[in-house]
PDB file of all heavy atoms in Angstrom:
ATOM      1  N   GLY G 104      -8.706  10.948 -10.876  1.00  0.00           N
ATOM      2  CA  GLY G 104      -9.787  11.354  -9.987  1.00  0.00           C
ATOM      3  C   GLY G 104      -9.390  12.548  -9.163  1.00  0.00           C
ATOM      4  O   GLY G 104      -8.282  13.069  -9.288  1.00  0.00           O
ATOM      5  N   ARG G 105     -10.296  12.981  -8.310  1.00  0.00           N
ATOM      6  CA  ARG G 105     -10.047  14.122  -7.429  1.00  0.00           C
ATOM      7  C   ARG G 105      -9.683  13.596  -6.047  1.00  0.00           C
ATOM      8  O   ARG G 105     -10.470  12.871  -5.427  1.00  0.00           O
ATOM      9  CB  ARG G 105     -11.287  14.994  -7.355  1.00  0.00           C
ATOM     10  CG  ARG G 105     -11.067  16.238  -6.575  1.00  0.00           C
ATOM     11  CD  ARG G 105     -12.262  17.126  -6.634  1.00  0.00           C
ATOM     12  NE  ARG G 105     -11.993  18.287  -5.781  1.00  0.00           N
ATOM     13  CZ  ARG G 105     -12.672  19.388  -5.839  1.00  0.00           C
ATOM     14  NH1 ARG G 105     -13.658  19.511  -6.691  1.00  0.00           N
ATOM     15  NH2 ARG G 105     -12.383  20.378  -5.039  1.00  0.00           N
ATOM     16  N   ASN G 106      -8.502  13.961  -5.554  1.00  0.00           N
ATOM     17  CA  ASN G 106      -8.029  13.484  -4.261  1.00  0.00           C
ATOM     18  C   ASN G 106      -8.930  13.960  -3.127  1.00  0.00           C
ATOM     19  O   ASN G 106      -9.402  15.097  -3.131  1.00  0.00           O
ATOM     20  CB  ASN G 106      -6.600  13.960  -3.992  1.00  0.00           C
ATOM     21  CG  ASN G 106      -5.594  13.312  -4.915  1.00  0.00           C
ATOM     22  OD1 ASN G 106      -5.846  12.282  -5.527  1.00  0.00           O
ATOM     23  ND2 ASN G 106      -4.427  13.915  -5.010  1.00  0.00           N
ATOM     24  N   THR G 107      -9.162  13.058  -2.168  1.00  0.00           N
ATOM     25  CA  THR G 107      -9.897  13.372  -0.942  1.00  0.00           C
ATOM     26  C   THR G 107      -9.079  12.835   0.234  1.00  0.00           C
ATOM     27  O   THR G 107      -7.997  12.289   0.042  1.00  0.00           O
ATOM     28  CB  THR G 107     -11.294  12.712  -0.943  1.00  0.00           C
ATOM     29  OG1 THR G 107     -11.131  11.283  -0.852  1.00  0.00           O
ATOM     30  CG2 THR G 107     -12.097  13.072  -2.192  1.00  0.00           C
ATOM     31  N   LYS G 108      -9.616  12.944   1.435  1.00  0.00           N
ATOM     32  CA  LYS G 108      -8.932  12.409   2.616  1.00  0.00           C
ATOM     33  C   LYS G 108      -8.862  10.888   2.595  1.00  0.00           C
ATOM     34  O   LYS G 108      -7.988  10.299   3.211  1.00  0.00           O
ATOM     35  CB  LYS G 108      -9.639  12.852   3.896  1.00  0.00           C
ATOM     36  CG  LYS G 108      -9.464  14.315   4.198  1.00  0.00           C
ATOM     37  CD  LYS G 108     -10.149  14.687   5.486  1.00  0.00           C
ATOM     38  CE  LYS G 108      -9.996  16.164   5.763  1.00  0.00           C
ATOM     39  NZ  LYS G 108     -10.609  16.557   7.015  1.00  0.00           N
ATOM     40  N   THR G 109      -9.778  10.235   1.897  1.00  0.00           N
ATOM     41  CA  THR G 109      -9.832   8.771   1.894  1.00  0.00           C
ATOM     42  C   THR G 109      -9.431   8.139   0.568  1.00  0.00           C
ATOM     43  O   THR G 109      -9.247   6.923   0.509  1.00  0.00           O
ATOM     44  CB  THR G 109     -11.255   8.279   2.259  1.00  0.00           C
ATOM     45  OG1 THR G 109     -12.186   8.828   1.318  1.00  0.00           O
ATOM     46  CG2 THR G 109     -11.621   8.685   3.675  1.00  0.00           C
ATOM     47  N   ASP G 110      -9.312   8.924  -0.483  1.00  0.00           N
ATOM     48  CA  ASP G 110      -8.991   8.393  -1.806  1.00  0.00           C
ATOM     49  C   ASP G 110      -8.018   9.305  -2.530  1.00  0.00           C
ATOM     50  O   ASP G 110      -8.272  10.505  -2.662  1.00  0.00           O
ATOM     51  CB  ASP G 110     -10.265   8.239  -2.648  1.00  0.00           C
ATOM     52  CG  ASP G 110     -11.206   7.208  -2.067  1.00  0.00           C
ATOM     53  OD1 ASP G 110     -10.961   6.012  -2.284  1.00  0.00           O
ATOM     54  OD2 ASP G 110     -12.161   7.606  -1.371  1.00  0.00           O
ATOM     55  N   LEU G 111      -6.919   8.715  -3.013  1.00  0.00           N
ATOM     56  CA  LEU G 111      -5.930   9.427  -3.817  1.00  0.00           C
ATOM     57  C   LEU G 111      -5.874   8.764  -5.185  1.00  0.00           C
ATOM     58  O   LEU G 111      -6.201   7.582  -5.319  1.00  0.00           O
ATOM     59  CB  LEU G 111      -4.551   9.372  -3.157  1.00  0.00           C
ATOM     60  CG  LEU G 111      -4.450   9.968  -1.756  1.00  0.00           C
ATOM     61  CD1 LEU G 111      -3.078   9.704  -1.164  1.00  0.00           C
ATOM     62  CD2 LEU G 111      -4.756  11.456  -1.788  1.00  0.00           C
TER      63      LEU G 111
END
Side-chain angles (χ1 to χ4, degrees):
R105 185 175 177 163
N106 292 341
T107 68
K108 289 182 181 182
T109 58
D110 295 280
L111 301 174

